[in-house]
């Protein structure tokens, strides 16, 4: 259950960052979001050994690398969604932000479970 809440919070954060960056070109904004997401990933990787020693989080390199790859793909897809939404709507960043929230909230726990070697997806 806590994994689901963590991904919902991450989805809200990523969506908010995307929505508040609507005043810049989409490619520049995608690059900024990618840097933020990768910095958070690296920070998490740096504190992971400490958490593993205290028994609070497993240290799993495959999970880390898989999630980083998924984040890069997520930003690329968000850029594509933003472009496509811009063809029909005047505020494509809001649509992209909602898309990111839903995708991270629902897809994050599923991907996390698969990358964590068969851990079942948390249920609501």
């Amino acid at each position: 259950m806590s994994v689901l809440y963590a991904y919902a919070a991450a989805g809200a954060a990523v969506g908010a960052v995307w929505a508040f960056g609507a005043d810049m070109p989409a490619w520049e904004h995608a690059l900024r979001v990618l840097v933020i997401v990768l910095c958070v990933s690296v920070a998490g990787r740096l504190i992971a050994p400490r958490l593993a020693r205290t028994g609070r989080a497993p240290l799993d390199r495959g999970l880390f690398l898989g999630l980083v790859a998924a984040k890069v793909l997520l930003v690329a897809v968000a850029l594509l969604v933003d472009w496509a939404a811009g063809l029909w709507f005047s505020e494509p960043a809001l649509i992209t932000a909602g898309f990111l929230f839903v995708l991270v909230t629902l897809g994050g726990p599923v991907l996390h479970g698969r990358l964590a070697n068969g851990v079942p997806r948390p249920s609501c």
Side-chain angles (χ1 to χ4, degrees):
M1 187 67 104
S2 64
V3 171
L4 182 63
Y5 291 138
Y7 278 102
V14 169
V17 167
W18 194 276
F20 288 124
D23 59 340
M24 62 179 53
W27 69 268
E28 185 178 327
H29 184 55
L31 186 60
R32 184 176 76 168
V33 169
L34 185 62
V35 167
I36 290 170
V37 164
L38 293 178
C39 286
V40 168
S41 296
V42 169
R45 182 68 177 163
L46 293 174
I47 65 167
R50 182 175 180 197
L51 292 175
R53 283 193 302 269
T54 62
R56 288 187 280 175
L59 182 59
D60 186 358
R61 182 180 172 105
L63 177 63
F64 172 75
L65 294 176
L67 289 175
V68 167
K71 290 171 187 175
V72 171
L73 181 62
L74 180 69
V75 172
V77 168
L79 188 58
L80 184 63
V81 168
D82 197 72
W83 170 78
L87 297 175
W88 293 291
F89 301 100
S90 62
E91 293 293 333
L94 295 177
I95 292 171
T96 305
F99 171 79
L100 286 170
F101 172 72
V102 170
L103 190 62
V104 171
T105 300
L106 299 179
V110 173
L111 180 63
H112 189 107
R114 286 189 180 173
L115 291 174
N117 300 324
V119 175
R121 183 182 81 117
S123 60
C124 294

